[in-house]
């Protein structure tokens, strides 16, 4: 459950317990032979992807022009806590630089009844008449999630430094809790990434915004009534409607300043590429949607959750898992 996140360290997996795998494919560079994903416990091969080379001497001779795709119909099931091994094979008879391997798996997280009115890529929501502060992040509860995660990073698993007391004494940890870990690559990683609890972390606006974004992502897989209601409430709280007074100051400041924009951006479902040709949304400085129940808001009500004329989607929510190997990454 440790996924590569672009440099050295990993973070906890927070997806479904069981994955429905629909497709997988690899990505390699010149010299590639093939890749595969294996069950690390049994050695069973789950996915295979072989490289294809160009043959045209005028354009692609010697270059990788494609990687094989494994499709599963029906899907296969993979437990999220299953240990897997990514094997990347290159032709070592010739020296190659930039050797790497990336494996992508396309999976869904279950069966969901998707109604016809929930299929738009943009949620047309209206503004709620009041602000329900209880639906938004609570700073006190966020504080409870402040933990030391050093045991889940490569500092522990690869370097054997698994306690924050030891970590803070490392010569390449600069300025202690207020500073950063200086990696050999020159990258800087905040100390609180490893030892937030030890360093008495406090909840700030970035934490609250991340919680809002996560909540929207969770509730807005489709243009559902729950999604509509969440965005409508966030927008009304940003407009300082009745009920906002019960909100904690740090949460309120963030919501009033950025809540409209976050709600409007959250109304765009699916991959950002699907919306790249749309006009830029308001920054929230002006009212851009009607109040729910007003004459101007006709047609803006939430989808009827009792309607049942939709279709059943399979797969329902699709995601990519990327597994990356970089040769000679560690010294």
């Amino acid at each position: 459950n440790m996924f590569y996140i672009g440099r050295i360290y990993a973070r906890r997996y927070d997806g479904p317990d069981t994955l429905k795998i629909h497709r997988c494919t690899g990505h390699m560079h010149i010299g590639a032979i093939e890749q595969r994903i294996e069950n690390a416990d049994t050695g069973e091969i789950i996915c295979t992807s072989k490289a294809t080379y160009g043959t045209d001497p005028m354009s692609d001779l010697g270059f990788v022009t494609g990687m094989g795709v494994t499709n599963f119909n029906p899907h296969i099931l993979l437990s999220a806590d299953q240990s897997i091994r990514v094997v990347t094979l290159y032709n070592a008879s010739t020296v190659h630089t930039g050797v790497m391997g990336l494996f992508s798996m396309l999976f869904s997280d279950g069966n969901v009844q998707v109604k016809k009115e929930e299929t738009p890529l943009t949620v047309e929501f209206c503004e709620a008449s009041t602000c329900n502060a209880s639906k938004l992040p609570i700073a006190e509860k966020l504080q409870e999630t402040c933990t030391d995660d050093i045991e889940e990073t490569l500092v522990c698993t690869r370097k054997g430094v698994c306690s924050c007391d030891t970590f803070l004494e490392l010569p390449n940890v600069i300025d202690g809790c207020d500073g950063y870990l200086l990696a050999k690559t020159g990258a800087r990683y905040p100390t609180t990434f490893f030892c937030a609890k030890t360093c008495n972390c406090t909840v700030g606006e970035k934490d609250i915004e991340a919680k809002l974004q996560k909540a929207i992502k969770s509730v807005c897989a489709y243009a559902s009534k729950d999604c509509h209601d969440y965005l409508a409430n966030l927008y009304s709280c940003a407009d300082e409607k009745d009920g906002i007074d019960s909100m904690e100051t740090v949460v309120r400041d963030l919501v009033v300043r950025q809540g409209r924009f976050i709600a409007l951006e959250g109304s765009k479902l699916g991959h950002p590429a699907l919306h790249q040709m749309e006009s830029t949304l308001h920054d929230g400085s002006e009212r851009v949607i009607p109040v729910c129940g007003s004459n101007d808001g006709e047609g803006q009500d939430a989808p009827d959750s009792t309607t049942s004329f939709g279709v059943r989607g399979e797969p329902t929510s699709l995601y990519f898992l990327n597994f990356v190997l970089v040769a000679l990454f560690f010294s």
Side-chain angles (χ1 to χ4, degrees):
N1 288 346
M2 303 264 296
F3 292 149
Y4 184 89
I5 59 172
R7 298 211 182 192
I8 299 178
Y9 306 104
R11 59 185 174 193
R12 285 193 301 268
Y13 170 72
D14 60 358
D17 294 333
T18 301
L19 311 180
K20 293 184 176 182
I21 307 299
H22 299 274
R23 173 181 294 181
C24 58
T25 186
H27 174 89
M28 302 174 68
H29 292 170
I30 294 176
I33 298 175
E34 69 173 34
Q35 284 183 286
R36 62 177 181 268
I37 293 181
E38 302 174 348
N39 182 316
D41 299 321
T42 66
E44 176 188 2
I45 297 177
I46 300 172
C47 296
T48 301
S49 181
K50 295 185 177 182
T52 301
Y53 284 84
T55 57
D56 187 345
M58 300 300 293
S59 60
D60 56 15
L61 180 64
F63 288 92
V64 177
T65 56
M67 293 294 298
V69 177
T70 301
N71 292 306
F72 299 102
N73 186 18
H75 59 261
I76 63 171
L77 297 178
L78 185 66
S79 174
D81 60 3
Q82 172 64 56
S83 296
I84 62 173
R85 179 184 301 111
V86 180
V87 179
T88 301
L89 302 178
Y90 274 84
N91 183 344
S93 62
T94 302
V95 175
H96 299 287
T97 58
V99 175
M100 58 86 69
L102 182 150
F103 221 113
S104 297
M105 300 176 71
L106 185 66
F107 73 94
S108 65
D109 59 0
N111 293 315
V112 178
Q113 186 72 33
V114 182
K115 303 176 181 65
K116 181 179 179 180
E117 66 272 20
E118 295 177 340
T119 59
L121 291 175
T122 301
V123 182
E124 299 294 339
F125 68 93
C126 53
E127 182 178 0
S129 57
T130 60
C131 166
N132 185 344
S134 66
K135 291 185 176 181
L136 300 183
I138 300 175
E140 184 178 349
K141 289 186 177 180
L142 286 177
Q143 188 72 41
E144 297 173 358
T145 65
C146 185
T147 60
D148 291 337
D149 296 326
I150 189 169
E151 292 184 358
E152 300 180 18
T153 70
L154 294 184
V155 169
C156 176
T157 59
R158 297 295 292 270
K159 300 299 183 181
V161 178
C162 300
S163 77
C164 287
D165 290 340
T166 303
F167 173 77
L168 292 170
E169 295 298 323
L170 293 176
N172 56 329
V173 173
I174 313 301
D175 295 333
C177 282
D178 297 325
Y180 54 88
L181 169 70
L182 180 62
K184 290 182 178 180
T185 61
R188 300 181 179 188
Y189 301 92
T191 304
T192 51
F193 179 86
F194 309 91
C195 299
K197 184 176 182 180
T198 295
C199 291
N200 299 316
C201 67
T202 57
V203 175
E205 290 192 351
K206 288 185 177 180
D207 304 292
I208 296 167
E209 182 175 359
K211 186 69 174 180
L212 280 173
Q213 299 285 8
K214 185 175 181 179
I216 291 173
K217 182 178 179 180
S218 174
V219 76
C220 291
Y222 311 99
S224 63
K225 182 179 185 302
D226 288 343
C227 176
H228 172 282
D229 291 349
Y230 192 91
L231 296 176
N233 182 67
L234 174 58
Y235 198 96
S236 70
C237 291
D239 208 21
E240 300 185 78
K241 292 292 182 67
D242 290 343
I244 195 173
D245 292 338
S246 62
M247 192 179 296
E248 295 166 290
T249 301
V250 64
V251 180
R252 175 173 178 164
D253 290 346
L254 183 278
V255 168
V256 169
R257 189 173 66 254
Q258 297 189 47
R260 293 183 183 88
F261 179 76
I262 294 173
L264 291 168
E265 286 294 298
S267 69
K268 299 189 294 184
L269 308 184
H271 194 278
L274 298 172
H275 303 275
Q276 62 183 357
M277 301 304 293
E278 297 177 5
S279 59
T280 303
L281 290 172
H282 264 284
D283 61 4
S285 60
E286 302 177 15
R287 183 185 303 280
V288 295
I289 59 175
V291 176
C292 298
S294 68
N295 290 335
D296 292 337
E298 291 181 0
Q300 299 286 338
D301 291 334
D304 181 2
S305 61
T306 62
T307 305
S308 58
F309 56 85
V311 296
R312 191 170 189 81
E314 175 65 39
T316 53
S317 299
L318 293 179
Y319 307 87
F320 282 106
L321 289 182
N322 286 328
F323 303 90
V324 183
L325 300 177
V326 180
L328 304 178
F329 192 79
F330 295 98
S331 61

